[in-house]
Amino acid sequence: MLRTISTHVFLRQRLHQGLLDALAKGGAQAIEIFAARQHFDYTSKPQVKETALWFAANPVEPFSMHMPLFGDTEMGRSGAPAINVVHPDKSRRIDGMDEIKRALEAAEEMPLRYLVLHLGEREDSWSPRTLEHAMTAIEHLQAFSRPLGVKLLLENLTNEVTEAPNLVEILRIGHFKDVGICLDTGHAHIGGGVAAAVAELKPIIRTAHIHDNHGQKTSISGPGTEPLPGRKRCRNCARLRSCPLPCWRSITYPRIRRST
């Protein structure tokens, strides 16, 4: 298992080399960059270059990038709409894909393995039209990411679109053999359960976001701090040992805080 942590733990701060040093000292073998303009401004060539230089000088892998959720610097508080590549409005879908491609350009400077992609927002429902929009978005983004050496991963969310059977259906009908799944244990815990998601998605899981919650909303707490049973969580992770499974926030918070 590759010990990986997301820079989301520092979301309210501008990502800089000191924060990356802290993650490395905390035990991270690889890092997922959370693409949010106030944190990692993927449109800023100096910040992208600074981040790429840090990875080039350190034995920590730039494992993945999480797609931006909003195109502004305030996570939508400015009134900017959420990035949604399966939105019924075509202009919203196009704007969302364009913003994701801007973030993907960072792979020209650092060797990212994966881009974690959201399909829809919390209340989005499943329909034949949604399936069509999802396949179109994946095809379009793949055409951009493939030359950069980046593979797409679909994350299970708390909407109908990304329920495990629907993710399998998207990949099957679209013949997306090189698109995988990023299993979010917190989202799965809110839905049909982690064990069920693992059973359905295991052959196509490539990475995981491992965190806890109360099973009602996404609180994104550190593993073991909330009531997703520890033994059950470890048992589910053990089933995935054949996958390069990084743990989002799996390095304990105290170690990170001491190192900062």
Side-chain angles (χ1 to χ4, degrees), residues 1 202 234 236-245:
M1 184 180 290
K202 181 180 177 181
C234 292
N236 290 329
C237 290
R239 296 187 180 117
L240 299 170
R241 284 181 179 171
S242 61
C243 303
L245 182 66

Side-chain angles (χ1 to χ4, degrees), residues 65-166:
M65 175 181 286
H66 193 291
M67 64 163 266
L69 302 182
F70 296 90
D72 65 355
T73 59
E74 301 179 42
M75 296 295 285
R77 288 186 292 273
S78 67
I83 293 172
N84 187 341
V85 297
V86 296
H87 195 277
D89 186 336
K90 183 177 180 179
S91 64
R92 284 280 303 275
R93 299 197 301 274
I94 292 173
D95 289 346
M97 287 185 280
D98 286 346
E99 192 68 24
I100 294 169
K101 287 190 291 184
R102 291 186 193 100
L104 266 171
E105 288 177 354
E108 296 176 351
E109 299 291 339
M110 63 187 94
L112 298 166
R113 277 204 229 180
Y114 299 115
L115 174 82
V116 178
L117 181 65
H118 283 196
L119 295 178
E121 300 171 65
R122 183 174 300 172
E123 303 301 326
D124 285 347
S125 58
W126 178 248
S127 69
R129 184 60 59 87
T130 307
L131 171 61
E132 179 184 341
H133 294 334
M135 291 193 298
T136 299
I138 294 169
E139 289 172 356
H140 184 77
L141 292 172
Q142 261 197 325
F144 192 83
S145 67
R146 189 176 284 126
L148 296 171
V150 180
K151 294 183 177 180
L152 303 182
L153 299 179
L154 309 182
E155 180 178 340
N156 60 303
L157 308 175
T158 55
N159 61 20
E160 288 184 6
V161 183
T162 59
E163 290 177 356
N166 296 336

Side-chain angles (χ1 to χ4, degrees), residues 13-58:
Q13 303 176 59
R14 177 189 177 277
L15 184 63
H16 56 77
Q17 294 187 351
L19 296 181
L20 294 170
D21 284 338
L23 297 178
K25 289 176 182 178
Q29 298 170 317
I31 289 174
E32 176 173 286
I33 298 171
F34 196 90
R37 289 199 186 200
Q38 79 281 4
H39 169 65
F40 176 71
D41 186 358
Y42 43 87
T43 66
S44 167
K45 290 185 178 179
Q47 187 176 15
V48 172
K49 190 68 175 179
E50 174 190 353
T51 305
L53 287 173
W54 184 89
F55 280 109
N58 288 274

Side-chain angles (χ1 to χ4, degrees), residues 144-237:
F144 192 83
S145 67
R146 189 176 284 126
L148 296 171
V150 180
K151 294 183 177 180
L152 303 182
L153 299 179
L154 309 182
E155 180 178 340
N156 60 303
L157 308 175
T158 55
N159 61 20
E160 288 184 6
V161 183
T162 59
E163 290 177 356
N166 296 336
L167 289 173
V168 172
E169 188 78 350
I170 291 168
L171 299 187
R172 183 186 66 81
I173 294 178
H175 301 286
F176 298 122
K177 297 187 182 301
D178 57 349
V179 176
I181 298 296
C182 172
L183 176 69
D184 188 295
T185 61
H187 294 160
H189 185 47
I190 293 171
V194 177
V198 170
E200 183 88 32
L201 299 171
K202 181 180 177 181
I204 48 178
I205 293 172
R206 299 293 175 266
T207 181
H209 290 165
I210 299 178
H211 58 95
D212 289 354
N213 56 51
H214 286 282
Q216 297 175 341
K217 63 179 181 177
T218 305
S219 59
I220 314 183
S221 302
T225 60
E226 296 196 33
L228 177 56
R231 289 184 180 178
K232 180 182 289 187
R233 182 176 57 250
C234 292
R235 192 160 57 244
N236 290 329
C237 290

